[in-house]
Amino acid sequence: MQFAFRRPAPNFKPLNATRPGVLSHRFAPIRPEATNIEYASFFQTEEGYTVSDVALALAFTWEMYVNDDLGAFTQAAAQLGVTFRATRAFTILDVILRKAGRIPLQNGELGPTTENLDEIAEWMAQRVDPTTGRRVARKPSDLFVGTKWERMARRSMESEYLVPTGGAGGPLAMRDNRNPVYQMANVHLEDMIADVLEEFPERYAGKGLSADDYIVMANGAQKPIELATLKGYEGGPKTFTRMVNVDETDLEGDFDNRGFALKVHDVVGADLRDPYAVAIAAGN
């Protein structure tokens, strides 16, 4: 999908700057137009898109190339690829954290138990569009949970029947022991909420989010989240190599300082196509 960007001002509003140390970041910093790539801030459009114009570069010298017996530069270049994949994922996650509703579970600190998942399904089934007053019910299809909750989420939905627990006191009553959330949703392991809250604490300070929260998606096959790229970036981030001004092909590097450079660049945007199909379940 092609996404046409305009100049940052006035349609792009800076949100916050990230701290230096780009390779230590889990997510690549944003490069505003006409600035050096070392500077970083996230910005969004007035229409609500989270937009990432991202660039990171690695520089190395001829001496580093000759002495790099351990392949450090190759590892750093591979790390750039991992960072940019995470940044694309963050662009999507940022939209969810900014726009999706948060389900206030009564016992959220217990995680995705059978009872909590049933409460989540009920919450999504009872949603109403505040503008039209119409029911906008959705059925959960996917859960994106952190490592802390993965086993519980799978266990809560894997059995068709619930095992009774507790004592036998009280009058005899007929109860349905079928699991109401049996195979309700697919479980995906994803710790990015915890990573993002640690990386950008000020960005989501007023959202009341927790590192133990998890994402509920309905109708996942219908792709309720929209990801747009600048034309030419549909297949992923681009890699650029600085051509040195030496004609020989013996990797001597730049004429003056024997230097080389490698840069990765990406321009993506994301938004919710169906705001009622994605929600955040409280994990505290």
Side-chain angles (χ1 to χ4, degrees), residues 193-211:
I193 288 182
D195 291 342
V196 164
L197 293 181
E198 180 181 349
E199 185 82 1
F200 309 111
E202 296 180 0
R203 183 168 175 78
Y204 307 103
K207 296 292 184 178
L209 299 172
S210 165

Side-chain angles (χ1 to χ4, degrees), residues 11 62 64 67 89 92 137 163 177 208 223-224 278:
N11 297 311
W62 176 77
M64 293 171 61
N67 296 311
I92 296 174
V163 178
N177 67 339
K223 300 180 180 180
V278 183

Side-chain angles (χ1 to χ4, degrees), residues 5-63:
F5 290 95
R6 293 169 285 183
R7 295 183 60 82
N11 297 311
F12 293 87
K13 301 177 291 184
L15 297 182
N16 70 298
T18 60
R19 56 186 182 276
V22 291
L23 284 183
S24 64
H25 279 237
R26 293 183 178 91
F27 313 101
I30 305 301
R31 182 190 60 80
E33 183 179 350
T35 64
N36 293 331
I37 62 174
E38 289 81 5
Y39 178 83
S41 69
F42 282 99
F43 55 88
Q44 68 187 65
T45 67
E46 292 178 348
E47 292 77 16
Y49 258 83
T50 289
V51 182
S52 300
D53 181 357
V54 189
L56 283 178
L58 292 175
F60 68 112
T61 64
W62 176 77
E63 289 81 4

